[in-house]
Amino acid sequence: MDKVVNLLERLQAVLGTGGLLTDTASRRVYARDASHFQLGLPVAVTLPGNGNEVSKVLALCAAAQVPVVCRGTGTGLSGGALTPEGCVVLGSGRLRDLGPLAVAQRSIHVEPGVLNESVSRRCRAMGLEFAPDPSSQAAATIGGNIAENAGGPHCLRHGVTLQHVRRLEWCDASGRPFLTGRGLSVERGLDLVSLLCGSEGTLGVITGADLALIPVGSAVRTMLAVFPVLDEAVNSAVALIGSGLLPVAIEIVDQTMLGAVEEAFGFGFPTDVAAAMIVEFSGNEAAVEADAASAQSVLTSGGAREVTLAGDEQERAALWRCRKKAFGAVGRLAPKYVTMDVVVPLGQLPQLVRDIQAIKARFKVEIATAFHAGDGNLHPGIHYDDQDPEQTKSAHAAAEAIILRAMSLGGSCTGEHGVGIEKLAVVSRMLDPVTASLQQGIKDVFDPAGLLNPGKMLPALDAEYAAAAVVPAQLRIDWESLTVTAPADLPVAEMQAALMERGLWVPVGAWLPGKGGQWGLARAGTVGDLVMDLVPGPGLGAWGAVRDLILELWAETGDGRLFHTGAPVYKNVAGYSLAQALCGSGGVFARPRAATFQLRPVPPSLGLWVCEHPDGGADRRNLLPLFKALRAHQNAFPGRVAILETDGERLQGPLIMLVPGTDRPWDLGALAAVLKSEREKIGCRCLRHEVLTFAGSVDQLAREKVLPQWASSAPTWTTLTQRLEDQDAGIDDMPWAARRILCQFSPRICWLPETAVSDRNWHADIIRHRGHRTELPVPTGEVPLAILRGLKNLFDPQGKLSRPGWLVP
Amino acid sequence: MTTPAVLGELKQLLRSCVQCGLCLPTCATWAATGNEVLSPRGRLVLMESLLAEGGKALDPGDLQAFDQCIGCRACETACPSGVPFSLFEYGKMLAAKSRRAGSLPHERLSVPNWLLHRLDRPAVLRVLKALAPLAVAAPPSVARLAQSLPTAPERDQDLMALLARLTGGGGVGPARFPRPTQDDGIEVSFFSGCANAGLMPGTSRRLAELLCGCGCLVRIPAAQGCCGALAAHTGRYSDRKRLHDQNRRAFGGNASRPWIVVEAAGCGAELKEQMDFGGAEILDATEALGRLILPTMRSVPLKVVYHAACHLEHGQQVREQPRALLRGIPGLELVEPEDAALCCGSGGVWSLEHPDLAAEIGRQKARALLDTGAQLIVTTNPGCLGQIRGALAALGEELPIIPLSDLIWYACMT
């Protein structure tokens, strides 16, 4: 007791008035969250006002060996913020600084207590937004979003929170502050951001974050489709994704949920239908118009009784408000509900929905379901009266049956709500024993005394685990679920070729590797190399790095223990994001054996422009207006690549521009107009312009020697990405002294066949330097060396995995 | 102290809260402190034990949390689960009684109790208004109080001069009193409220003129009293009942007219919630004006930010009408502040009972209003007007704030 009194006195000295709450009322309030569980009472609630105070609180608690539970606004549904008896709550209620906003870098710095919705509200005027939009976004904090790796409807197209966090400021259990991530577009090394994001406060405490922002589409179409039959709605969602359209969101609510929402908000939904679906497209006006029309025919032929477009922004906002407040509205149906968060491979969604109907009948329970249908994530909510013991028992039994069924269909017990305490009993069945011991090992490395959010997320050692991992030996494509599983030794070329037969690919690297997978820019040899080297490639139409696309990984530790992590689903927060963390770690922690990736439709066309200055060689500064114009349009035309050959001040060879897209007036046609007008202003001639078929075009261009030889075959190159903290330096600050450059405008990356002579404003990072030892760049901020060493020791205790120059301190 | 039947009913209501937390960002006390005890969901957690103990708090913190609730009802609007505000009212009632009994620890008051309990008397307010200019030399706490007194130009010329200056307009002529827009005008009773009557009589008069200009036959019952809200805020429930009776006599009976037009949002919320005048419909002034044909409006080329008074926005659920009136003024650009749903921290006499918390909430609201870049603030409640005026003064900023009805009067009648 003295220990606690002493701790409280010290905390008071650090936190001052309003920063420490020890009265019974406060302790009772902070013992609860949006889950319907309860553990014990905390001894105190701390509300630090800055990162320094967070650090001190953690240090004091660590010294007193008192556990710490982090909390945002307590909107979590899995009990992640619940308090074990006697812990200290570390609340982010006073950590709410927002900004500055770096428009050119599409990034904003936030403290963890900032509300999700405030971020997008702040950025929208600049045409940017923060993509993750959990239904609780009006009240949920960024700190909580990061801790839970939150999703939301719009993650279908844009990815979950992890894919939108660039850099984290955080403290370990003892209060030591660190800065992880350099804020670059491409970054290699064991990714601690991936481990921290989704770790439910068990590894570290986030004190600040640089978030990546995405451009707001200039036009939006939001459609409401109503279906007389639930199965038909679900099948239509699968058909929509399969049709090659890329909606930003596909949501379904079933009849029960619809009734509650209608009662709460009176939107005017028909309540006599079995399901309502919201589909949203975002992009430029003509494109969304065309997409919406295609979607309408898919939905109508799929059985939709009626498909209507939201008339204006107000109607659209009202639609989303209904969807996002749906769960609160369920409170009108019964006093309690248990919400599940299962996710299955998309192709299995119709089966799961049918099984849920059967479970509903078997247990005689009422279920209201909201689906993030596009990514196979379902939230069946079983509502019941907790004063009726029979109802309570059936509700929980039915919930378990649904979760087990989803897992048996290859899914996960949680897509975005987290494990918390709610899913401790089931999450172990998704982990093989080696993965479970690695997860516990990671926890022990970060928090040896086990003080951070104890009793959450990690199942007990004697729990029931999955069978030992079996490595897939062959390429396996799930066309319906849009995933591919490939053994690590398979050439990437073969995998992509197989996928392209049906117009799909793993969208990394534009330079399609030839048979045999010879080395070249973005021509990773094998699937294993792709994963371990985090090959970015000039992302023609790409969606980001391999880390954003990997779903599942089979790998072997340095001492030969085989493990499997992840699941073949688009969203999964059952355990630490080990596959993502190991992605790009250079193979010095584990050897990959196989991996599963998301698939995306291949862009249909590739626009090509070859330009030249009239006098044959231009002052490079003359090109600035052209580049600036391109950057100004980067929201509309992502994935632009330019190839320059320069000799210091003078531009030597032609300027080659490659842009993926559709051969339509509003897409590549519109870009052609922009380029033409800008080109004419600087007197630049166009030697060649055509629109090629995307698949095979790169090989064709290489044959015609349009692409420089080095771009497809040089063994060594350097990537440069602009540092986050720089102001919009502009193209002028590129390292022009290099003779040849390949640059991409979104994200802003340059490739050079030789080492850059100047890295002012730019950060050099070696992708691969075969046979040579290279110095790795020095990361900014304090590196958690002890943690990296601990992790290396965990995965490779005998130090068998090594690679010159890779991030092993 | 509370009957078992009532307790049972409240317990049942409490079960409708699913603890989703969507109420938090709309609660001004949470936003200002980051402390969840001062959030709607936090208060409902405490309500569980209050109800279990038959309305007796085990912990003073339980009642304090309700004492610190402004009563803005923004949480009720935000709640998807339909948790009624009556739960909070019950908590606030217990807290007010406990405070009155002297058993509730609280912040020091910014005015003495004897004065606090007399602020619903126009005569007292008139005295304060007369004394306010002297407060410049007073201690800072008194000066702050004086700056928070709701005011509006008493003389039409002053209002016209202010708006002419803001719009960069030329000379100001006399008010034009256009011919009534309707001949068979509706008969209305006018409820001005104690703050308007005592502190802003010019505004009351102009609103009555405006109603006449729209063809209404306006009666202002001399026997009207305070609506009773302030008495309830300070735990004087018998006074509240007396005032209700007084108003029932003044507005009811044979003199009953189809509309009772209420000038201040706070009074309107209390009257709509607590009173029944038989056939008469209680309308906020903006609701009434929205139903009438207004005289042709002059152009007012200004960027105007509307501060929605909680008692109108949440208490009366009147949202569209005031905005529609403003949008109807030619040349006017209407903007809304960030976190528009948040209360300004006035809450009747709440700001006087919780001066520090109210100052912080007011500061955040003033900041949000300033950030819009508007040239003028309008609102519909004298409490908000005073609170925001004081908060702006504390920040050293000069952004004029006037009653919404004064702006409409200016557009229609000059």
Side-chain angles (χ1 to χ4, degrees):
Chain A
M1 205 58 222
D2 280 353
K3 185 184 80 173
V4 171
V5 173
N6 196 356
L7 171 66
L8 297 182
E9 277 170 10
R10 283 160 184 257
L11 286 172
Q12 186 66 73
V14 168
L15 295 165
T17 339
L20 181 71
L21 314 171
T22 54
D23 58 297
T24 319
S26 303
R27 290 161 57 213
R28 270 167 38 221
V29 166
Y30 279 88
R32 303 277 283 273
D33 69 4
S35 74
H36 291 215
F37 306 105
Q38 220 174 328
L39 291 174
L41 284 187
V43 290
V45 177
T46 60
L47 298 173
N50 55 52
N52 196 19
E53 287 182 10
V54 173
S55 175
K56 285 179 180 162
V57 168
L58 285 165
L60 289 172
C61 291
Q65 292 288 295
V66 171
V68 175
V69 175
C70 292
R71 179 189 181 92
T73 41
T75 57
L77 294 166
S78 58
L82 291 179
T83 48
E85 188 70 31
C87 70
V88 164
V89 172
L90 205 165
S92 63
R94 299 205 299 170
L95 293 165
R96 287 191 280 177
D97 260 8
L98 174 57
L101 166 65
V103 176
Q105 282 75 21
R106 291 190 190 156
S107 169
I108 190 165
H109 181 268
V110 297
E111 284 193 334
V114 169
L115 303 183
N116 172 300
E117 209 169 68
S118 314
V119 179
S120 287
R121 228 169 29 209
R122 169 68 63 88
C123 305
R124 205 155 285 141
M126 312 304 286
L128 297 169
E129 65 186 349
F130 182 57
D133 61 338
S135 296
S136 55
Q137 73 180 134
T141 63
I142 292 295
N145 290 171
I146 294 173
E148 300 289 326
N149 194 8
H154 290 79
C155 288
L156 171 60
R157 168 121 163 226
H158 300 300
V160 292
T161 302
L162 173 58
Q163 286 156 34
H164 303 275
V165 173
R166 289 205 174 150
R167 183 152 70 167
L168 289 179
E169 291 152 24
W170 59 285
C171 292
D172 70 3
S174 66
R176 261 176 312 177
F178 298 111
L179 185 68
T180 289
R182 286 161 291 173
L184 305 180
S185 310
V186 182
E187 182 167 349
R188 270 172 302 282
L190 185 86
D191 188 35
L192 296 183
V193 173
S194 293
L195 281 184
L196 288 163
C197 192
S199 66
E200 302 190 10
T202 61
L203 297 182
V205 176
I206 290 142
T207 57
D210 285 329
L211 303 177
L213 304 169
I214 58 163
V216 181
S218 58
V220 180
R221 286 287 182 288
T222 308
M223 319 164 74
L224 176 69
V226 293
F227 290 83
V229 183
L230 177 61
D231 277 359
E232 288 180 353
V234 176
N235 289 333
S236 297
V238 178
L240 260 184
I241 295 284
S243 70
L245 292 168
L246 276 177
V248 284
I250 304 179
E251 298 287 303
I252 296 178
V253 285
D254 70 3
Q255 187 168 25
T256 316
M257 185 71 94
L258 206 54
V261 169
E262 190 53 29
E263 192 196 321
F265 306 109
F267 180 81
F269 290 116
T271 44
D272 62 333
V273 293
M277 183 193 287
I278 302 176
V279 181
E280 185 162 287
F281 292 94
S282 167
N284 73 52
E285 181 63 37
V288 295
E289 187 73 50
D291 285 352
S294 311
Q296 177 145 18
S297 72
V298 172
L299 296 173
T300 310
S301 60
R305 188 177 82 186
E306 200 183 339
V307 184
T308 45
L309 269 178
D312 53 24
E313 183 53 34
Q314 240 175 341
E315 221 175 287
R316 173 179 175 265
L319 256 178
W320 279 116
R321 195 164 52 246
C322 292
R323 167 60 191 90
K324 294 198 168 176
K325 287 193 170 183
F327 265 97
V330 170
R332 292 165 192 264
L333 299 173
K336 288 275 171 189
Y337 60 77
V338 47
T339 303
M340 282 143 282
D341 175 34
V342 290
V343 50
V344 288
L346 192 60
Q348 303 290 352
L349 188 62
Q351 180 62 49
L352 181 65
V353 171
R354 284 194 295 274
D355 292 344
I356 289 175
Q357 297 309 313
I359 289 169
K360 179 177 165 182
R362 177 148 61 95
F363 289 91
K364 299 188 178 63
V365 288
E366 283 303 316
I367 303 184
T369 306
F371 308 56
H372 302 304
D375 44 26
N377 188 196
L378 269 78
H379 299 312
I382 303 183
H383 42 275
Y384 63 98
D385 185 342
D386 57 335
Q387 288 178 348
D388 178 341
E390 266 313 299
Q391 268 195 40
T392 309
K393 212 173 120 200
S394 313
H396 286 276
E400 189 174 303
I402 291 173
I403 293 171
L404 293 179
R405 184 66 191 127
M407 280 160 53
S408 73
L409 290 170
S412 167
C413 60
T414 177
E416 54 184 14
H417 293 175
V419 177
I421 59 165
E422 190 196 23
K423 299 177 199 85
L424 275 179
V426 286
V427 73
S428 61
R429 299 184 218 187
M430 290 182 61
L431 308 171
D432 63 63
V434 178
T435 310
S437 72
L438 287 172
Q439 299 235 21
Q440 186 60 49
I442 291 170
K443 165 77 176 167
D444 295 342
V445 167
F446 276 82
D447 175 23
L451 295 176
L452 294 178
N453 212 6
K456 312 282 173 62
M457 194 174 185
L458 297 170
L461 288 174
D462 59 355
E464 186 186 332
Y465 287 102
V470 179
V471 181
Q474 281 170 349
L475 184 71
R476 208 164 56 202
I477 305 172
D478 184 341
W479 297 109
E480 275 209 309
S481 307
L482 298 183
T483 59
V484 60
T485 303
D489 55 5
L490 185 79
V492 174
E494 279 181 34
M495 178 179 78
Q496 300 283 41
L499 293 169
M500 286 223 177
E501 276 176 24
R502 291 212 201 169
L504 297 168
W505 70 329
V506 180
V508 283
W511 271 259
L512 305 178
K515 295 264 178 194
Q518 77 273 30
W519 285 103
L521 195 55
R523 291 188 180 220
T526 65
V527 169
D529 295 330
L530 191 68
V531 172
M532 285 300 120
D533 289 0
L534 194 70
V535 173
L540 288 182
W543 291 79
V546 189
R547 191 178 282 144
D548 300 327
L549 300 159
I550 193 166
L551 304 173
E552 229 179 346
L553 176 70
W554 289 260
E556 211 176 276
T557 60
D559 54 350
R561 288 170 291 157
L562 181 69
F563 65 95
H564 164 247
T565 173
V569 289
Y570 277 27
K571 270 175 176 172
N572 177 20
V573 291
Y576 300 135
S577 302
L578 207 47
Q580 287 77 6
L582 288 169
C583 206
S585 67
V588 295
F589 289 85
R591 262 188 297 263
R593 298 286 303 277
T596 302
F597 306 97
Q598 290 187 32
L599 298 180
R600 294 281 180 173
V602 172
S605 309
L606 185 68
L608 166 75
W609 288 263
V610 182
C611 307
E612 196 181 47
H613 209 266
D615 61 8
D619 186 324
R620 62 182 176 82
R621 277 178 242 281
N622 292 346
L623 291 174
L624 267 176
L626 183 62
F627 285 132
K628 283 197 169 145
L630 281 172
R631 289 236 323 271
H633 289 84
Q634 66 182 5
N635 295 356
F637 314 112
R640 271 153 304 100
V641 167
I643 297 169
L644 304 169
E645 298 234 349
T646 76
D647 179 15
E649 294 297 305
R650 307 292 293 177
L651 175 69
Q652 289 295 314
L655 166 68
I656 301 167
M657 305 260 331
L658 291 165
V659 186
T662 49
D663 187 11
R664 306 294 278 271
W666 67 78
D667 191 356
L668 293 177
L671 179 63
V674 172
L675 273 176
K676 183 163 185 284
S677 94
E678 293 302 323
R679 196 167 46 70
E680 282 169 357
K681 277 187 208 157
I682 57 170
C684 198
R685 274 192 308 144
C686 186
L687 302 177
R688 179 174 175 188
H689 166 51
E690 61 190 298
V691 177
L692 308 157
T693 309
F694 186 82
S697 59
V698 178
D699 284 345
Q700 180 194 333
L701 295 175
R703 272 197 306 277
E704 294 173 22
K705 298 201 186 319
V706 174
L707 298 179
Q709 193 59 33
W710 63 269
S712 58
S713 64
T716 303
W717 60 86
T718 303
T719 333
L720 299 176
T721 55
Q722 195 169 24
R723 280 202 188 120
L724 193 66
E725 59 268 38
D726 294 333
Q727 288 309 301
D728 188 11
I731 290 294
D732 200 28
D733 284 327
M734 280 190 178
W736 289 90
R739 221 169 58 73
R740 292 158 300 191
I741 301 176
L742 199 145
C743 50
Q744 183 180 312
F745 293 85
S746 172
R748 293 169 68 184
I749 305 177
C750 293
W751 282 264
L752 297 108
E754 52 215 24
T755 311
V757 293
S758 151
D759 69 347
R760 188 169 68 94
N761 291 318
W762 294 81
H763 194 98
D765 195 4
I766 309 301
I767 291 179
R768 192 177 181 85
H769 198 148
R770 197 190 273 172
H772 300 287
R773 185 180 175 80
T774 53
E775 292 301 315
L776 276 156
V778 183
T780 54
E782 191 161 347
V783 181
L785 277 183
I787 288 175
L788 285 174
R789 283 201 192 98
L791 292 172
K792 170 73 177 165
N793 192 44
L794 171 70
F795 281 89
D796 182 24
Q798 291 136 15
K800 285 188 176 169
L801 304 175
S802 71
R803 189 158 152 191
W806 275 84
L807 228 172
V808 182
Chain B
M1 64 201 280
T2 310
T3 65
V6 171
L7 276 181
E9 200 177 308
L10 290 169
K11 279 179 190 166
Q12 201 55 37
L13 291 176
L14 186 55
R15 296 181 77 210
S16 57
C17 173
V18 294
Q19 299 168 27
C20 65
L22 289 179
C23 51
L24 264 66
T26 64
C27 177
T29 54
W30 176 79
T33 60
N35 179 350
E36 282 192 43
V37 180
L38 301 186
S39 77
R41 183 181 60 185
R43 291 181 178 111
L44 291 179
V45 167
L46 301 177
M47 178 62 77
E48 283 173 18
S49 58
L50 268 181
L51 294 180
E53 298 300 321
K56 283 193 282 294
L58 289 179
D59 181 359
D62 291 8
L63 283 184
Q64 245 181 321
F66 285 98
D67 179 52
Q68 286 168 317
C69 166
I70 309 174
C72 69
R73 305 180 77 142
C75 52
E76 195 181 34
T77 302
C79 180
S81 190
V83 175
F85 190 71
S86 51
L87 282 165
F88 294 85
E89 267 170 350
Y90 175 71
K92 282 180 71 62
M93 180 194 75
L94 295 180
K97 284 184 173 167
S98 167
R99 193 189 249 267
R100 219 164 135 60
S103 57
L104 189 74
H106 54 75
E107 266 186 66
R108 64 173 173 77
L109 299 179
S110 51
V111 296
N113 250 323
W114 62 263
L115 179 56
L116 192 69
H117 294 166
R118 285 167 180 81
L119 288 176
D120 47 11
R121 299 182 188 178
V124 174
L125 293 170
R126 275 192 282 272
V127 173
L128 287 178
K129 186 181 169 190
L131 293 174
L134 306 175
V136 186
S141 62
V142 178
R144 197 171 79 188
L145 199 63
Q147 279 169 331
S148 302
L149 220 52
T151 58
E154 188 142 352
R155 300 183 321 148
D156 296 347
Q157 282 83 351
D158 294 341
L159 175 68
M160 290 155 79
L162 168 72
L163 288 162
R165 175 171 62 78
L166 289 174
T167 53
V172 182
R176 60 189 164 100
F177 295 108
R179 198 173 154 270
T181 52
Q182 282 165 297
D183 291 334
D184 51 347
I186 195 155
E187 297 185 11
V188 307
S189 302
F190 188 80
F191 188 98
S192 67
C194 36
N196 283 77
L199 299 169
M200 312 191 321
T203 298
S204 295
R205 177 178 44 74
R206 285 187 288 266
L207 176 56
E209 281 171 15
L210 182 58
L211 289 167
C212 293
C214 298
C216 293
L217 302 171
V218 182
R219 182 180 76 107
I220 307 177
Q224 64 181 281
C226 168
C227 65
L230 292 191
H233 290 176
T234 46
R236 295 176 291 125
Y237 289 93
S238 55
D239 285 355
R240 179 199 219 184
K241 188 173 173 302
R242 180 178 53 75
L243 290 164
H244 285 174
D245 290 344
Q246 181 184 341
N247 285 324
R248 199 168 290 117
R249 282 192 299 275
F251 286 90
N254 295 334
S256 177
R257 294 188 168 206
W259 291 359
I260 297 174
V261 176
V262 187
E263 187 175 2
C267 312
E270 171 80 5
L271 294 176
K272 283 184 182 176
E273 182 97 340
Q274 299 286 334
M275 306 283 286
D276 178 8
F277 293 100
E281 196 178 356
I282 304 168
L283 294 175
D284 179 71
T286 60
E287 286 178 285
L289 291 171
R291 292 188 191 181
L292 297 165
I293 299 168
L294 297 178
T296 317
M297 289 202 255
R298 70 184 289 161
S299 164
V300 184
L302 279 182
K303 188 171 178 181
V304 174
V305 57
Y306 169 59
H307 166 71
C310 298
H311 282 117
L312 194 60
E313 184 94 352
H314 308 299
Q316 301 181 48
Q317 306 276 317
V318 173
R319 306 204 176 96
E320 190 41 39
Q321 293 89 333
R323 292 174 171 91
L325 284 172
L326 291 169
R327 277 194 293 264
I329 300 177
L332 185 141
E333 183 195 349
L334 177 63
V335 292
E336 304 256 348
E338 178 98 7
D339 291 322
L342 285 182
C343 174
C344 64
S346 163
V349 292
W350 185 91
S351 61
L352 303 176
E353 293 176 330
H354 307 85
D356 295 341
L357 195 47
E360 176 56 23
I361 293 171
R363 191 189 63 79
Q364 293 188 4
K365 177 57 76 181
R367 193 33 68 207
L369 291 165
L370 287 164
D371 286 347
T372 60
Q375 297 155 280
L376 177 71
I377 309 170
V378 293
T379 189
T380 57
N381 196 44
C384 306
L385 193 143
Q387 164 77 355
I388 292 168
R389 183 174 163 260
L392 287 166
L395 286 173
E397 298 281 354
E398 280 178 27
L399 178 61
I401 175 166
I402 61 169
L404 184 145
S405 60
D406 272 353
L407 184 60
I408 306 292
W409 175 89
Y410 175 74
C412 292
M413 309 288 279
T414 70

